Amino acid sequence: MRKAGVLLPVASLPSNYGIGDFGTSAYEFIDVIVEMGMKLWQILPLNPLGYGNSPYQPYSSFAGDELYISLEKLQECGLLEELPKPFHKKEERIDYPAVRAYKEQFLKKAFERFSPDEEYEVFASMEWVKEYAVFITLKKANGLKCWNEWKKEDQRWIQDKKLDLTPFQEQIQYEIFFQYMFYRQWKALKEYANQKGILVMGDIPFYVGIDSLDVWANQKCFLLDGSRPTYIAGVPPDYFSEVGQRWGNPIYNWEYLKKTKFRFWMDRIGYNKNLYDIIRIDHFRAFDTFWKIPASCETAIEGEWIEAPGYEVFDTLYEQMPDVEIVAEDLGDLRPEVYELRDHYHLKGMKIFQFAMDLAENNNDFEDRENMIIYTGTHDNQTMMGWFLAQEEEYQEEILHNLKELGYQQKELIDRFDAYVMDSIADWAILPVQDILGLCDEARLNTPGTMGSPNWEWKLVDLTELKKKSKTIHKMIVESKRVG
């Protein structure tokens, strides 16, 4: 069925407290996109932010970041006597350290007023909950160092459980409280979206970071020498980088994973299936072949392509979860076998309109295929207007001429791009909020191959301008027959 959707990370929502969360603005945003006629809301991972505040280097594939907990919702359920004063409300960039420090003081107050109930006890009994609480508690006790640099007795707790955790009990309970409130607030927000006819697409990175509960608790699942990776993940030189991208994530020990019937992946996808209606798997191509870089190499130039047991993983997955809905991030210059794997399981792939028009991009064929999602761009691209303004004037004129010939003559240039994407044969069409508003590269979310500021920092100040676009986008959706 033809659907339209929007891409916006929760962190980029407006908020009274410097970062988007599960509060009032999130519900208001859902109302706005419903009025537009949208049926999909794609977000980025909500897990605890790791190095560089990247949602793709989280401390856990199961836990959520307390930054997304709404102080408004805590006040509504009686855990805060009154709402604190707004903080960084009008800022267009997220100051992660400042926001985290500000919200933490009120989260502590909420914890002090909290009384566990049966629902809490059921949640806290899940294995990963206590393990994550211990992990993050020990991480803080060890100066936030990676677990492989902790005191030896702390490192070994996950294996032998000999470390006396008594001195850490209050902090552990504090961390469990965070996870419980995150879970409750997110499930309530998702339920509201579903009631309004919106499906939520979550996001799972293919790899996990070395500095994570995932690796600490599942060391046999990765190629490690003791506690350190022997090989790391990335991609070879490509459109984004002449030296490739050296991500640093440990490589999976696929032989061991096979022996466990891929339990690590089954648990990971199974839990996220509980959180989202649809799961996008980032870097899907690594289920076919992955770039294996010696950990000693400083760039991603050196490495080799290794085949992965993708068919075995997905056969096992659909045996256990036949109703799971997966989207494959299949962007880039890929070998045919990746598409064969995708199509064997009837997975939706992705196509970027910006890439299709880019003469310098290797993967710029515009497939005439229904079972896919078309975007103007994603969180890793320039904004649509940023990309267009960066082109040579002659090429800009050619693009405008081609759009005019196809009948796209809307007053606002961004509306011509958006309408073209909406009219695609693709089953789903998704627009980043930046490309609904026609923002330039000051609103770009991430530049692949770079770390730290300004990546992941852009946010909306309010929803005023988005509301003004509601009728325009609704008209596009109706005319492109995406109202079902």
Side-chain angles (χ1 to χ4, degrees):
M1 181 181 292
R2 289 172 66 79
K3 290 185 175 69
V6 61
L7 169 59
L8 184 72
V10 170
S12 296
L13 285 164
S15 167
N16 287 332
Y17 303 105
I19 189 171
D21 57 32
F22 302 147
T24 304
S25 290
Y27 288 81
E28 187 179 1
F29 172 75
I30 290 170
D31 292 340
V32 172
I33 64 173
V34 167
E35 186 176 338
M36 289 178 173
M38 300 290 192
K39 296 296 182 182
L40 302 163
W41 177 19
Q42 181 177 339
I43 63 174
L44 300 188
L46 295 172
N47 310 112
L49 299 174
Y51 183 66
N53 295 310
S54 170
Y56 294 93
Q57 291 283 351
Y59 292 139
S60 168
S61 293
F62 294 78
D65 199 306
E66 64 266 22
L67 281 172
Y68 303 121
I69 296 174
S70 166
L71 300 183
E72 297 162 331
K73 295 298 178 182
L74 292 179
Q75 194 267 341
E76 287 178 12
C77 66
L79 293 180
L80 290 177
E81 289 187 24
E82 57 184 12
L83 281 177
K85 295 179 181 179
F87 181 77
H88 287 205
K89 180 178 180 179
K90 297 296 184 181
E91 296 294 325
E92 295 180 354
R93 314 300 302 184
I94 301 168
D95 184 338
Y96 285 96
V99 170
R100 198 176 288 279
Y102 184 79
K103 292 188 75 169
E104 185 174 20
Q105 58 187 312
F106 302 104
L107 292 172
K108 287 181 177 178
K109 289 181 180 180
F111 173 65
E112 292 168 1
R113 294 171 64 94
F114 176 71
S115 297
D117 56 15
E118 184 177 351
E119 182 184 16
Y120 168 85
E121 297 297 343
V122 171
F123 175 83
S125 67
M126 288 189 287
E127 183 179 24
W128 74 262
V129 175
K130 181 178 180 180
E131 287 186 350
Y132 177 74
V134 173
F135 169 81
I136 202 68
T137 295
L138 293 179
K139 183 174 179 62
K140 291 176 179 178
N142 283 273
L144 296 180
K145 294 178 182 177
C146 182
W147 63 268
N148 57 22
E149 297 179 9
W150 295 352
K151 299 174 186 176
K152 292 299 181 184
E153 58 269 28
D154 294 359
Q155 285 188 39
R156 289 195 294 265
W157 178 85
I158 196 68
Q159 297 167 331
D160 60 25
K161 304 297 191 293
K162 290 182 179 179
L163 178 69
D164 181 9
L165 296 177
T166 304
F168 304 107
Q169 280 306 314
E170 184 174 358
Q171 183 66 32
I172 290 171
Q173 293 304 312
Y174 182 45
E175 301 294 346
I176 293 175
F177 164 75
F178 279 166
Q179 293 308 311
Y180 177 61
M181 296 314 302
F182 172 95
Y183 181 81
R184 281 193 62 188
Q185 290 191 8
W186 169 248
K187 292 289 281 185
L189 180 62
K190 179 182 174 294
E191 182 179 358
Y192 182 81
N194 291 164
Q195 289 173 349
K196 292 282 187 172
I198 301 293
L199 298 176
V200 180
M201 187 190 308
D203 201 329
I204 296 182
F206 179 85
Y207 291 111
V208 298
I210 181 67
D211 190 11
S212 67
L213 171 64
D214 300 293
V215 180
W216 186 49
N218 300 280
Q219 294 174 42
K220 291 182 180 179
C221 294
F222 302 90
L223 297 180
L224 306 177
D225 180 7
S227 61
R228 309 227 172 233
T230 52
Y231 294 91
I232 56 174
V235 290
D238 61 8
Y239 174 77
F240 288 112
S241 174
E242 293 181 355
V243 295
Q245 297 177 44
R246 185 188 186 279
W247 298 332
N249 308 73
I251 296 289
Y252 290 108
N253 182 346
W254 285 113
E255 291 305 314
Y256 176 80
L257 288 172
K258 286 181 185 180
K259 294 176 183 178
T260 65
K261 296 184 178 179
F262 307 104
R263 179 184 172 187
F264 177 84
W265 269 101
M266 300 305 110
D267 290 348
R268 196 173 175 221
I269 292 180
Y271 186 73
N272 280 272
K273 179 177 180 291
N274 177 49
L275 296 180
Y276 310 114
D277 301 300
I278 305 157
I279 299 171
R280 188 194 86 122
I281 299 181
D282 191 58
H283 198 56
F284 171 82
R285 65 113 356 109
F287 280 115
D288 170 67
T289 45
F290 57 91
W291 190 242
K292 185 178 180 183
I293 308 165
S296 58
C297 295
E298 295 183 359
T299 72
I301 294 176
E302 292 184 45
E304 60 178 332
W305 288 113
I306 305 294
E307 291 191 355
Y311 287 93
E312 294 176 61
V313 174
F314 281 94
D315 283 347
T316 305
L317 175 65
Y318 285 112
E319 285 174 8
Q320 297 186 18
M321 291 169 261
D323 60 339
V324 67
E325 186 158 7
I326 301 290
V327 166
E329 185 275 291
D330 57 349
L331 302 173
D333 189 11
L334 310 180
R335 71 177 196 155
E337 287 85 349
V338 179
Y339 304 121
E340 291 170 9
L341 176 64
R342 176 198 68 192
D343 294 342
H344 181 79
Y345 297 98
H346 309 290
L347 306 179
K348 279 184 168 57
M350 298 170 57
K351 182 59 64 174
I352 308 300
F353 176 47
Q354 200 177 111
F355 283 177
M357 293 194 300
D358 193 337
L359 300 176
E361 219 282 322
N362 293 327
N363 189 29
N364 59 3
D365 61 303
F366 209 60
E367 294 180 68
D368 189 24
R369 191 164 60 87
E370 293 182 6
N371 191 32
M372 71 173 185
I373 311 175
I374 186 173
Y375 300 77
T376 47
T378 71
H379 58 278
D380 281 336
N381 300 116
Q382 290 179 271
T383 65
M384 194 66 225
M385 288 306 300
W387 176 86
F388 177 78
L389 294 175
Q391 305 306 306
E392 297 289 340
E393 184 176 350
E394 183 179 349
Y395 189 46
Q396 289 182 6
E397 292 176 356
E398 181 182 339
I399 292 170
L400 295 177
H401 173 76
N402 290 339
L403 287 172
K404 183 178 180 180
E405 288 291 304
L406 291 169
Y408 299 99
Q409 301 185 64
Q410 291 87 340
K411 181 179 178 181
E412 298 292 333
L413 176 56
I414 191 61
D415 294 340
R416 299 179 214 175
F417 292 134
D418 291 347
Y420 182 90
V421 165
M422 283 292 175
D423 287 344
S424 164
I425 194 174
D427 285 339
W428 298 353
I430 293 180
L431 304 176
V433 161
Q434 297 95 314
D435 292 346
I436 293 176
L437 298 176
L439 301 179
C440 293
D441 278 348
E442 73 277 359
R444 182 171 185 167
L445 200 59
N446 179 53
T447 302
T450 67
M451 294 295 292
S453 184
N455 291 335
W456 316 114
E457 293 177 353
W458 176 80
K459 64 179 283 292
L460 288 165
V461 172
D462 55 47
L463 296 173
T464 302
E465 295 303 315
L466 193 63
K467 291 177 180 177
K468 290 179 181 178
K469 296 289 292 193
S470 182
K471 290 183 179 179
T472 300
I473 298 300
H474 184 264
K475 184 173 183 288
M476 289 181 198
I477 291 174
V478 170
E479 291 178 348
S480 63
K481 298 180 173 57
R482 296 186 181 277
V483 293

